[in-house]
Amino acid sequence: MAQHAALGCGTQVYCQSFMVIIALDIGTVRVGCASADDSVRIPFPVAVWPRAKYQAEREILKLVEDRGAKLLVVGMPLGPQGERTAICDSVESFVRRLAKKIGRAHV
């Protein structure tokens, strides 16, 4: 379900559709989530979920469906020099599982 904003001038009304974006910060214990649409520049916090027992994955999938999200943005935990860190493989694995369940994501 897309979100819409009506922009009117006199009797003419234009409908502009906004793309919903969900941003994820994936840690070893928890996943932080924020959401925005492409009409704003600042995402707003949604929730923090535990990774245990796939709870975060279930909640993210529900959020994607409920908000009709078209884009997931995932932060990679790179080191100070831009190098991969120990958790990068875990984050990539989490994202691949989400992509398979969503079916339309590109990793």
Side-chain angles (χ1 to χ4, degrees):
M1 177 184 345
Q3 295 180 3
H4 300 280
L7 308 173
C9 179
T11 58
Q12 295 179 331
V13 175
Y14 301 93
C15 185
Q16 182 176 355
S17 183
F18 297 115
M19 178 173 63
V20 175
I21 303 163
I22 294 175
L24 302 174
D25 181 9
I26 302 169
T28 56
V29 178
R30 289 176 288 281
V31 176
C33 179
S35 180
D37 62 51
D38 59 356
S39 71
V40 298
R41 300 217 188 284
I42 300 172
F44 294 96
V46 173
V48 176
W49 301 296
R51 276 187 70 168
K53 300 181 183 177
Y54 302 100
Q55 181 177 347
E57 290 179 36
R58 286 191 304 273
E59 295 294 341
I60 293 163
L61 293 170
K62 183 178 182 316
L63 187 67
V64 166
E65 180 70 25
D66 290 350
R67 296 195 182 189
K70 300 296 181 199
L71 179 64
L72 284 175
V73 177
V74 178
M76 284 299 287
L78 300 177
Q81 305 301 318
E83 73 277 8
R84 290 178 60 88
T85 60
I87 192 175
C88 286
D89 290 340
S90 175
V91 170
E92 288 173 342
S93 176
F94 186 95
V95 171
R96 278 193 294 277
R97 282 194 308 275
L98 274 180
K100 286 180 184 176
K101 292 176 181 176
I102 292 172
R104 63 177 188 253
H106 297 281
V107 179

